[in-house]
Amino acid sequence: MVKSIISLVLLAVSVFLAFKHGWDTFNYKKNPEAMKMMSELGITETMIPIFGGVTLLVGVLLLIPKTFFLGNVLNAISILIIMTLAMRIGNFKMVLMEIPFLMMPLVLIWWKYPFLKKLIKSALWKNQSE
């Protein structure tokens, strides 16, 4: 039960961060610091909406039990891309800051969707009662 609650909290944090970062990415022109960071990483202005869209997609995929794994894989890949770009420019502080965020989708994949067994049991119970 404790594992499911921790998993649910990690899921909520991951979804929140995905939507927040996706929204912030689409509004990058209002935030000059974000634009500076993305340009330092080598992310062009034409790529920014793609990153924002993928990040929002990750948030949606994480919420659906059937796409939970895919959402976490995409989340981990996007974090690895950011870490790789940061390493390329020698920004190891950013790389180290991203490690906990990389661990979140990996732990969520390992623990699976929270309360999935209860969801399956309730779905089976519904089908049997019909």
Side-chain angles (χ1 to χ4, degrees):
M1 182 67 170
V2 174
K3 182 178 95 168
S4 293
I5 292 171
I6 294 171
S7 182
L8 184 64
V9 169
L10 284 177
L11 174 62
V13 169
S14 291
V15 170
F16 170 76
L17 289 174
F19 285 130
K20 182 188 178 308
H21 289 142
W23 182 256
D24 289 346
T25 302
F26 280 118
N27 294 310
Y28 68 94
K29 290 184 180 181
K30 296 178 185 176
N31 190 352
E33 292 173 13
M35 184 63 187
K36 180 184 174 198
M37 181 197 67
M38 287 187 259
S39 65
E40 284 176 3
L41 291 175
I43 300 171
T44 63
E45 196 165 344
T46 56
M47 290 297 295
I48 292 173
I50 295 169
F51 273 104
V54 168
T55 307
L56 288 174
L57 177 65
V58 164
V60 172
L61 292 175
L62 289 175
L63 291 172
I64 304 167
K66 289 185 177 183
T67 60
F68 176 76
F69 177 76
L70 178 63
N72 278 303
V73 169
L74 288 175
N75 195 10
I77 289 170
S78 66
I79 294 168
L80 281 173
I81 289 171
I82 291 168
M83 291 172 78
T84 305
L85 293 172
M87 271 196 255
R88 188 178 71 177
I89 63 169
N91 189 344
F92 295 104
K93 182 180 176 184
M94 182 185 291
V95 173
L96 293 174
M97 286 184 348
E98 292 293 326
I99 290 173
F101 298 107
L102 177 61
M103 295 305 296
M104 282 186 357
L106 299 178
V107 168
L108 284 169
I109 289 170
W110 180 36
W111 281 351
K112 299 184 180 42
Y113 197 84
F115 303 112
L116 185 60
K117 289 179 184 175
K118 289 184 180 183
L119 288 172
I120 291 170
K121 285 181 184 177
S122 67
L124 289 174
W125 185 76
K126 258 187 194 178
N127 288 339
Q128 288 176 355
S129 65
E130 291 177 354

